[in-house]
PDB file of all heavy atoms in Angstrom:
ATOM      1  N   MET A   9     113.288-100.100 -99.496  1.00 88.00           N
ATOM      2  CA  MET A   9     112.511-100.971-100.502  1.00 88.00           C
ATOM      3  C   MET A   9     111.944-102.185-100.053  1.00 88.00           C
ATOM      4  O   MET A   9     111.081-102.761-100.788  1.00 88.00           O
ATOM      5  CB  MET A   9     113.521-101.201-101.745  1.00 88.00           C
ATOM      6  CG  MET A   9     114.075-100.099-102.361  1.00 88.00           C
ATOM      7  SD  MET A   9     115.235-100.644-103.641  1.00 88.00           S
ATOM      8  CE  MET A   9     115.289 -99.232-104.677  1.00 88.00           C
ATOM      9  N   CYS A  10     112.305-102.586 -98.821  1.00 88.00           N
ATOM     10  CA  CYS A  10     111.798-103.858 -98.263  1.00 88.00           C
ATOM     11  C   CYS A  10     111.750-103.846 -96.751  1.00 88.00           C
ATOM     12  O   CYS A  10     112.158-102.837 -96.202  1.00 88.00           O
ATOM     13  CB  CYS A  10     112.488-105.045 -98.834  1.00 88.00           C
ATOM     14  SG  CYS A  10     114.281-105.015 -98.204  1.00 88.00           S
ATOM     15  N   HIS A  11     111.197-104.877 -96.198  1.00 88.00           N
ATOM     16  CA  HIS A  11     111.099-104.975 -94.774  1.00 88.00           C
ATOM     17  C   HIS A  11     112.528-104.984 -94.124  1.00 88.00           C
ATOM     18  O   HIS A  11     112.724-104.618 -93.020  1.00 88.00           O
ATOM     19  CB  HIS A  11     110.230-106.024 -94.291  1.00 88.00           C
ATOM     20  CG  HIS A  11     108.811-105.823 -94.657  1.00 88.00           C
ATOM     21  ND1 HIS A  11     108.069-104.752 -94.074  1.00 88.00           N
ATOM     22  CD2 HIS A  11     107.995-106.358 -95.537  1.00 88.00           C
ATOM     23  CE1 HIS A  11     106.802-104.783 -94.564  1.00 88.00           C
ATOM     24  NE2 HIS A  11     106.728-105.714 -95.531  1.00 88.00           N
ATOM     25  N   HIS A  12     113.457-105.601 -94.778  1.00 89.00           N
ATOM     26  CA  HIS A  12     114.804-105.645 -94.432  1.00 89.00           C
ATOM     27  C   HIS A  12     115.455-104.269 -94.242  1.00 89.00           C
ATOM     28  O   HIS A  12     116.150-103.873 -93.291  1.00 89.00           O
ATOM     29  CB  HIS A  12     115.678-106.458 -95.385  1.00 89.00           C
ATOM     30  CG  HIS A  12     117.164-106.501 -94.955  1.00 89.00           C
ATOM     31  ND1 HIS A  12     117.657-107.117 -93.928  1.00 89.00           N
ATOM     32  CD2 HIS A  12     118.191-105.892 -95.639  1.00 89.00           C
ATOM     33  CE1 HIS A  12     118.982-106.980 -93.879  1.00 89.00           C
ATOM     34  NE2 HIS A  12     119.269-106.158 -94.919  1.00 89.00           N
ATOM     35  N   CYS A  13     114.998-103.351 -95.157  1.00 90.00           N
ATOM     36  CA  CYS A  13     115.500-101.929 -95.116  1.00 90.00           C
ATOM     37  C   CYS A  13     114.924-101.295 -93.886  1.00 90.00           C
ATOM     38  O   CYS A  13     115.667-100.570 -93.219  1.00 90.00           O
ATOM     39  CB  CYS A  13     115.076-101.277 -96.399  1.00 90.00           C
ATOM     40  SG  CYS A  13     115.880-101.901 -97.884  1.00 90.00           S
ATOM     41  N   THR A  14     113.586-101.471 -93.615  1.00 90.00           N
ATOM     42  CA  THR A  14     112.982-100.872 -92.389  1.00 90.00           C
ATOM     43  C   THR A  14     113.688-101.373 -91.140  1.00 90.00           C
ATOM     44  O   THR A  14     113.916-100.598 -90.247  1.00 90.00           O
ATOM     45  CB  THR A  14     111.471-101.156 -92.346  1.00 90.00           C
ATOM     46  OG1 THR A  14     111.226-102.448 -92.328  1.00 90.00           O
ATOM     47  CG2 THR A  14     110.788-100.430 -93.571  1.00 90.00           C
ATOM     48  N   ALA A  15     114.011-102.715 -91.133  1.00 91.00           N
ATOM     49  CA  ALA A  15     114.724-103.134 -89.920  1.00 91.00           C
ATOM     50  C   ALA A  15     116.046-102.512 -89.770  1.00 91.00           C
ATOM     51  O   ALA A  15     116.561-102.250 -88.647  1.00 91.00           O
ATOM     52  CB  ALA A  15     114.821-104.721 -90.089  1.00 91.00           C
ATOM     53  N   HIS A  16     116.689-102.345 -90.919  1.00 91.00           N
ATOM     54  CA  HIS A  16     118.106-101.770 -90.805  1.00 91.00           C
ATOM     55  C   HIS A  16     118.105-100.316 -90.308  1.00 91.00           C
ATOM     56  O   HIS A  16     118.784 -99.841 -89.521  1.00 91.00           O
ATOM     57  CB  HIS A  16     118.629-101.806 -92.279  1.00 91.00           C
ATOM     58  CG  HIS A  16     120.100-101.588 -92.319  1.00 91.00           C
ATOM     59  ND1 HIS A  16     120.910-102.388 -93.168  1.00 91.00           N
ATOM     60  CD2 HIS A  16     121.033-100.853 -91.661  1.00 91.00           C
ATOM     61  CE1 HIS A  16     122.162-102.029 -92.967  1.00 91.00           C
ATOM     62  NE2 HIS A  16     122.247-101.067 -92.104  1.00 91.00           N
ATOM     63  N   VAL A  17     117.035 -99.499 -90.841  1.00 92.00           N
ATOM     64  CA  VAL A  17     116.872 -98.128 -90.336  1.00 92.00           C
ATOM     65  C   VAL A  17     116.462 -98.216 -88.887  1.00 92.00           C
ATOM     66  O   VAL A  17     117.026 -97.401 -88.100  1.00 92.00           O
ATOM     67  CB  VAL A  17     115.690 -97.528 -91.195  1.00 92.00           C
ATOM     68  CG1 VAL A  17     115.302 -96.179 -90.502  1.00 92.00           C
ATOM     69  CG2 VAL A  17     116.209 -97.219 -92.597  1.00 92.00           C
ATOM     70  N   GLU A  18     115.581 -99.089 -88.435  1.00 92.00           N
ATOM     71  CA  GLU A  18     115.211 -99.098 -86.992  1.00 92.00           C
ATOM     72  C   GLU A  18     116.443 -99.444 -86.121  1.00 92.00           C
ATOM     73  O   GLU A  18     116.613 -98.868 -85.127  1.00 92.00           O
ATOM     74  CB  GLU A  18     114.108-100.169 -86.754  1.00 92.00           C
ATOM     75  CG  GLU A  18     112.767 -99.733 -87.271  1.00 92.00           C
ATOM     76  CD  GLU A  18     111.717-100.764 -87.109  1.00 92.00           C
ATOM     77  OE1 GLU A  18     112.050-101.856 -86.603  1.00 92.00           O
ATOM     78  OE2 GLU A  18     110.545-100.555 -87.477  1.00 92.00           O
ATOM     79  N   LYS A  19     117.211-100.320 -86.564  1.00 92.00           N
ATOM     80  CA  LYS A  19     118.380-100.771 -85.814  1.00 92.00           C
ATOM     81  C   LYS A  19     119.394 -99.649 -85.758  1.00 92.00           C
ATOM     82  O   LYS A  19     119.889 -99.407 -84.637  1.00 92.00           O
ATOM     83  CB  LYS A  19     119.107-101.992 -86.583  1.00 92.00           C
ATOM     84  CG  LYS A  19     120.318-102.419 -85.737  1.00 92.00           C
ATOM     85  CD  LYS A  19     120.962-103.691 -86.414  1.00 92.00           C
ATOM     86  CE  LYS A  19     122.119-104.156 -85.665  1.00 92.00           C
ATOM     87  NZ  LYS A  19     122.842-105.261 -86.425  1.00 92.00           N
ATOM     88  N   ALA A  20     119.549 -98.857 -86.785  1.00 92.00           N
ATOM     89  CA  ALA A  20     120.529 -97.791 -86.765  1.00 92.00           C
ATOM     90  C   ALA A  20     119.955 -96.620 -85.837  1.00 92.00           C
ATOM     91  O   ALA A  20     120.772 -96.040 -85.095  1.00 92.00           O
ATOM     92  CB  ALA A  20     120.709 -97.085 -88.151  1.00 92.00           C
ATOM     93  N   LEU A  21     118.698 -96.315 -85.841  1.00 93.00           N
ATOM     94  CA  LEU A  21     118.118 -95.246 -84.989  1.00 93.00           C
ATOM     95  C   LEU A  21     118.093 -95.684 -83.534  1.00 93.00           C
ATOM     96  O   LEU A  21     118.355 -94.928 -82.648  1.00 93.00           O
ATOM     97  CB  LEU A  21     116.748 -94.840 -85.451  1.00 93.00           C
ATOM     98  CG  LEU A  21     116.778 -94.007 -86.764  1.00 93.00           C
ATOM     99  CD1 LEU A  21     115.340 -93.947 -87.308  1.00 93.00           C
ATOM    100  CD2 LEU A  21     117.347 -92.746 -86.618  1.00 93.00           C
ATOM    101  N   ASN A  22     117.689 -96.988 -83.256  1.00 91.00           N
ATOM    102  CA  ASN A  22     117.542 -97.450 -81.870  1.00 91.00           C
ATOM    103  C   ASN A  22     118.944 -97.593 -81.241  1.00 91.00           C
ATOM    104  O   ASN A  22     118.899 -97.763 -80.010  1.00 91.00           O
ATOM    105  CB  ASN A  22     116.771 -98.803 -81.896  1.00 91.00           C
ATOM    106  CG  ASN A  22     115.283 -98.619 -82.249  1.00 91.00           C
ATOM    107  OD1 ASN A  22     114.761 -97.577 -81.807  1.00 91.00           O
ATOM    108  ND2 ASN A  22     114.660 -99.558 -82.786  1.00 91.00           N
ATOM    109  N   ALA A  23     119.972 -97.576 -82.001  1.00 92.00           N
ATOM    110  CA  ALA A  23     121.368 -97.628 -81.441  1.00 92.00           C
ATOM    111  C   ALA A  23     121.684 -96.327 -80.792  1.00 92.00           C
ATOM    112  O   ALA A  23     122.594 -96.335 -79.949  1.00 92.00           O
ATOM    113  CB  ALA A  23     122.323 -98.014 -82.520  1.00 92.00           C
ATOM    114  N   ILE A  24     120.944 -95.262 -81.039  1.00 91.00           N
ATOM    115  CA  ILE A  24     121.317 -93.971 -80.449  1.00 91.00           C
ATOM    116  C   ILE A  24     120.576 -93.973 -79.071  1.00 91.00           C
ATOM    117  O   ILE A  24     119.448 -94.310 -78.899  1.00 91.00           O
ATOM    118  CB  ILE A  24     120.789 -92.775 -81.316  1.00 91.00           C
ATOM    119  CG1 ILE A  24     121.340 -92.859 -82.701  1.00 91.00           C
ATOM    120  CG2 ILE A  24     120.925 -91.472 -80.668  1.00 91.00           C
ATOM    121  CD1 ILE A  24     120.640 -91.866 -83.696  1.00 91.00           C
ATOM    122  N   GLU A  25     121.339 -93.602 -78.011  1.00 89.00           N
ATOM    123  CA  GLU A  25     120.771 -93.542 -76.660  1.00 89.00           C
ATOM    124  C   GLU A  25     119.601 -92.620 -76.643  1.00 89.00           C
ATOM    125  O   GLU A  25     119.700 -91.367 -77.099  1.00 89.00           O
ATOM    126  CB  GLU A  25     121.846 -93.224 -75.671  1.00 89.00           C
ATOM    127  CG  GLU A  25     121.323 -93.302 -74.320  1.00 89.00           C
ATOM    128  CD  GLU A  25     122.474 -93.081 -73.265  1.00 89.00           C
ATOM    129  OE1 GLU A  25     123.714 -93.287 -73.604  1.00 89.00           O
ATOM    130  OE2 GLU A  25     122.196 -92.750 -72.130  1.00 89.00           O
ATOM    131  N   GLY A  26     118.557 -93.027 -75.999  1.00 88.00           N
ATOM    132  CA  GLY A  26     117.365 -92.104 -75.902  1.00 88.00           C
ATOM    133  C   GLY A  26     116.350 -92.062 -77.036  1.00 88.00           C
ATOM    134  O   GLY A  26     115.470 -91.271 -77.153  1.00 88.00           O
ATOM    135  N   VAL A  27     116.556 -93.037 -78.015  1.00 91.00           N
ATOM    136  CA  VAL A  27     115.824 -93.037 -79.255  1.00 91.00           C
ATOM    137  C   VAL A  27     115.103 -94.279 -79.350  1.00 91.00           C
ATOM    138  O   VAL A  27     115.740 -95.431 -79.172  1.00 91.00           O
ATOM    139  CB  VAL A  27     116.616 -92.706 -80.484  1.00 91.00           C
ATOM    140  CG1 VAL A  27     115.833 -92.938 -81.739  1.00 91.00           C
ATOM    141  CG2 VAL A  27     117.285 -91.406 -80.485  1.00 91.00           C
ATOM    142  N   GLN A  28     113.886 -94.305 -79.640  1.00 91.00           N
ATOM    143  CA  GLN A  28     112.971 -95.505 -79.893  1.00 91.00           C
ATOM    144  C   GLN A  28     112.396 -95.248 -81.232  1.00 91.00           C
ATOM    145  O   GLN A  28     111.582 -94.258 -81.377  1.00 91.00           O
ATOM    146  CB  GLN A  28     111.950 -95.698 -78.817  1.00 91.00           C
ATOM    147  CG  GLN A  28     111.330 -97.114 -78.882  1.00 91.00           C
ATOM    148  CD  GLN A  28     110.428 -97.434 -77.691  1.00 91.00           C
ATOM    149  OE1 GLN A  28     110.215 -96.524 -76.893  1.00 91.00           O
ATOM    150  NE2 GLN A  28     109.983 -98.614 -77.611  1.00 91.00           N
ATOM    151  N   ALA A  29     112.575 -96.095 -82.270  1.00 92.00           N
ATOM    152  CA  ALA A  29     112.181 -95.861 -83.586  1.00 92.00           C
ATOM    153  C   ALA A  29     111.327 -96.913 -84.093  1.00 92.00           C
ATOM    154  O   ALA A  29     111.535 -98.139 -83.841  1.00 92.00           O
ATOM    155  CB  ALA A  29     113.364 -95.551 -84.527  1.00 92.00           C
ATOM    156  N   VAL A  30     110.382 -96.528 -85.052  1.00 92.00           N
ATOM    157  CA  VAL A  30     109.580 -97.534 -85.802  1.00 92.00           C
ATOM    158  C   VAL A  30     109.578 -97.034 -87.155  1.00 92.00           C
ATOM    159  O   VAL A  30     109.119 -95.907 -87.466  1.00 92.00           O
ATOM    160  CB  VAL A  30     108.111 -97.683 -85.318  1.00 92.00           C
ATOM    161  CG1 VAL A  30     107.324 -98.543 -86.079  1.00 92.00           C
ATOM    162  CG2 VAL A  30     108.144 -98.080 -83.803  1.00 92.00           C
ATOM    163  N   ALA A  31     110.076 -97.837 -88.145  1.00 92.00           N
ATOM    164  CA  ALA A  31     110.140 -97.447 -89.498  1.00 92.00           C
ATOM    165  C   ALA A  31     108.856 -97.932 -90.245  1.00 92.00           C
ATOM    166  O   ALA A  31     108.366 -99.033 -89.943  1.00 92.00           O
ATOM    167  CB  ALA A  31     111.363 -97.956 -90.147  1.00 92.00           C
ATOM    168  N   ASP A  32     108.531 -97.171 -91.333  1.00 91.00           N
ATOM    169  CA  ASP A  32     107.320 -97.597 -92.078  1.00 91.00           C
ATOM    170  C   ASP A  32     107.708 -97.578 -93.561  1.00 91.00           C
ATOM    171  O   ASP A  32     108.170 -96.537 -94.107  1.00 91.00           O
ATOM    172  CB  ASP A  32     106.159 -96.574 -91.858  1.00 91.00           C
ATOM    173  CG  ASP A  32     104.996 -96.866 -92.768  1.00 91.00           C
ATOM    174  OD1 ASP A  32     104.578 -98.106 -92.839  1.00 91.00           O
ATOM    175  OD2 ASP A  32     104.386 -95.947 -93.355  1.00 91.00           O
ATOM    176  N   LEU A  33     107.640 -98.760 -94.202  1.00 89.00           N
ATOM    177  CA  LEU A  33     107.978 -98.842 -95.607  1.00 89.00           C
ATOM    178  C   LEU A  33     107.055 -98.149 -96.553  1.00 89.00           C
ATOM    179  O   LEU A  33     107.562 -97.430 -97.428  1.00 89.00           O
ATOM    180  CB  LEU A  33     108.003-100.379 -95.941  1.00 89.00           C
ATOM    181  CG  LEU A  33     108.434-100.726 -97.393  1.00 89.00           C
ATOM    182  CD1 LEU A  33     109.848-100.225 -97.575  1.00 89.00           C
ATOM    183  CD2 LEU A  33     108.343-102.226 -97.557  1.00 89.00           C
ATOM    184  N   GLU A  34     105.829 -98.285 -96.301  1.00 90.00           N
ATOM    185  CA  GLU A  34     104.725 -97.623 -97.251  1.00 90.00           C
ATOM    186  C   GLU A  34     104.901 -96.138 -97.216  1.00 90.00           C
ATOM    187  O   GLU A  34     104.840 -95.366 -98.152  1.00 90.00           O
ATOM    188  CB  GLU A  34     103.378 -98.081 -96.867  1.00 90.00           C
ATOM    189  CG  GLU A  34     103.136 -99.531 -97.190  1.00 90.00           C
ATOM    190  CD  GLU A  34     101.720 -99.958 -96.842  1.00 90.00           C
ATOM    191  OE1 GLU A  34     100.865 -99.091 -96.692  1.00 90.00           O
ATOM    192  OE2 GLU A  34     101.469-101.170 -96.753  1.00 90.00           O
ATOM    193  N   GLY A  35     105.003 -95.547 -95.989  1.00 90.00           N
ATOM    194  CA  GLY A  35     105.153 -94.090 -95.790  1.00 90.00           C
ATOM    195  C   GLY A  35     106.523 -93.553 -96.077  1.00 90.00           C
ATOM    196  O   GLY A  35     106.723 -92.344 -96.012  1.00 90.00           O
ATOM    197  N   LYS A  36     107.430 -94.389 -96.244  1.00 92.00           N
ATOM    198  CA  LYS A  36     108.840 -94.016 -96.443  1.00 92.00           C
ATOM    199  C   LYS A  36     109.251 -93.112 -95.385  1.00 92.00           C
ATOM    200  O   LYS A  36     109.883 -91.963 -95.686  1.00 92.00           O
ATOM    201  CB  LYS A  36     109.032 -93.488 -97.868  1.00 92.00           C
ATOM    202  CG  LYS A  36     108.884 -94.428 -98.985  1.00 92.00           C
ATOM    203  CD  LYS A  36     109.161 -93.799-100.295  1.00 92.00           C
ATOM    204  CE  LYS A  36     108.924 -94.905-101.354  1.00 92.00           C
ATOM    205  NZ  LYS A  36     109.372 -94.395-102.708  1.00 92.00           N
ATOM    206  N   CYS A  37     109.042 -93.428 -94.099  1.00 93.00           N
ATOM    207  CA  CYS A  37     109.439 -92.633 -92.980  1.00 93.00           C
ATOM    208  C   CYS A  37     109.592 -93.421 -91.732  1.00 93.00           C
ATOM    209  O   CYS A  37     109.395 -94.599 -91.800  1.00 93.00           O
ATOM    210  CB  CYS A  37     108.369 -91.496 -92.703  1.00 93.00           C
ATOM    211  SG  CYS A  37     106.808 -92.175 -92.328  1.00 93.00           S
ATOM    212  N   ALA A  38     110.138 -92.790 -90.728  1.00 93.00           N
ATOM    213  CA  ALA A  38     110.276 -93.481 -89.511  1.00 93.00           C
ATOM    214  C   ALA A  38     109.810 -92.568 -88.346  1.00 93.00           C
ATOM    215  O   ALA A  38     110.139 -91.314 -88.468  1.00 93.00           O
ATOM    216  CB  ALA A  38     111.762 -93.870 -89.165  1.00 93.00           C
ATOM    217  N   ARG A  39     109.133 -92.989 -87.424  1.00 93.00           N
ATOM    218  CA  ARG A  39     108.659 -92.225 -86.228  1.00 93.00           C
ATOM    219  C   ARG A  39     109.598 -92.546 -85.119  1.00 93.00           C
ATOM    220  O   ARG A  39     109.775 -93.634 -84.788  1.00 93.00           O
ATOM    221  CB  ARG A  39     107.184 -92.521 -85.900  1.00 93.00           C
ATOM    222  CG  ARG A  39     106.816 -91.798 -84.646  1.00 93.00           C
ATOM    223  CD  ARG A  39     105.325 -91.918 -84.276  1.00 93.00           C
ATOM    224  NE  ARG A  39     104.640 -91.169 -85.228  1.00 93.00           N
ATOM    225  CZ  ARG A  39     103.345 -91.481 -85.493  1.00 93.00           C
ATOM    226  NH1 ARG A  39     102.778 -92.507 -84.983  1.00 93.00           N
ATOM    227  NH2 ARG A  39     102.700 -90.785 -86.475  1.00 93.00           N
ATOM    228  N   VAL A  40     110.180 -91.469 -84.554  1.00 93.00           N
ATOM    229  CA  VAL A  40     111.124 -91.693 -83.432  1.00 93.00           C
ATOM    230  C   VAL A  40     110.552 -90.997 -82.286  1.00 93.00           C
ATOM    231  O   VAL A  40     109.906 -89.973 -82.270  1.00 93.00           O
ATOM    232  CB  VAL A  40     112.484 -91.178 -83.720  1.00 93.00           C
ATOM    233  CG1 VAL A  40     113.164 -92.017 -84.823  1.00 93.00           C
ATOM    234  CG2 VAL A  40     112.467 -89.686 -84.026  1.00 93.00           C
ATOM    235  N   THR A  41     110.659 -91.671 -81.056  1.00 91.00           N
ATOM    236  CA  THR A  41     110.280 -91.119 -79.766  1.00 91.00           C
ATOM    237  C   THR A  41     111.672 -90.891 -78.992  1.00 91.00           C
ATOM    238  O   THR A  41     112.425 -91.767 -78.871  1.00 91.00           O
ATOM    239  CB  THR A  41     109.417 -92.116 -79.052  1.00 91.00           C
ATOM    240  OG1 THR A  41     108.186 -92.354 -79.826  1.00 91.00           O
ATOM    241  CG2 THR A  41     108.990 -91.463 -77.735  1.00 91.00           C
ATOM    242  N   LEU A  42     111.881 -89.577 -78.704  1.00 89.00           N
ATOM    243  CA  LEU A  42     113.010 -89.199 -77.991  1.00 89.00           C
ATOM    244  C   LEU A  42     112.809 -89.051 -76.539  1.00 89.00           C
ATOM    245  O   LEU A  42     111.880 -88.346 -76.129  1.00 89.00           O
ATOM    246  CB  LEU A  42     113.616 -87.938 -78.528  1.00 89.00           C
ATOM    247  CG  LEU A  42     113.872 -87.918 -80.115  1.00 89.00           C
ATOM    248  CD1 LEU A  42     114.149 -86.511 -80.506  1.00 89.00           C
ATOM    249  CD2 LEU A  42     114.777 -88.861 -80.490  1.00 89.00           C
ATOM    250  N   SER A  43     113.662 -89.773 -75.727  1.00 87.00           N
ATOM    251  CA  SER A  43     113.573 -89.611 -74.190  1.00 87.00           C
ATOM    252  C   SER A  43     114.838 -88.822 -73.742  1.00 87.00           C
ATOM    253  O   SER A  43     115.034 -88.681 -72.522  1.00 87.00           O
ATOM    254  CB  SER A  43     113.411 -90.919 -73.575  1.00 87.00           C
ATOM    255  OG  SER A  43     114.564 -91.758 -73.807  1.00 87.00           O
TER     256      SER A  43
END
């Protein structure tokens, strides 16, 4: 619902090894790049 939420999602996803994530509030999604 807010930019704090997107930061929370990014932090949770980026904590996974090999994941780089960017969350989007308007699109209600996150794009992850997996290495």
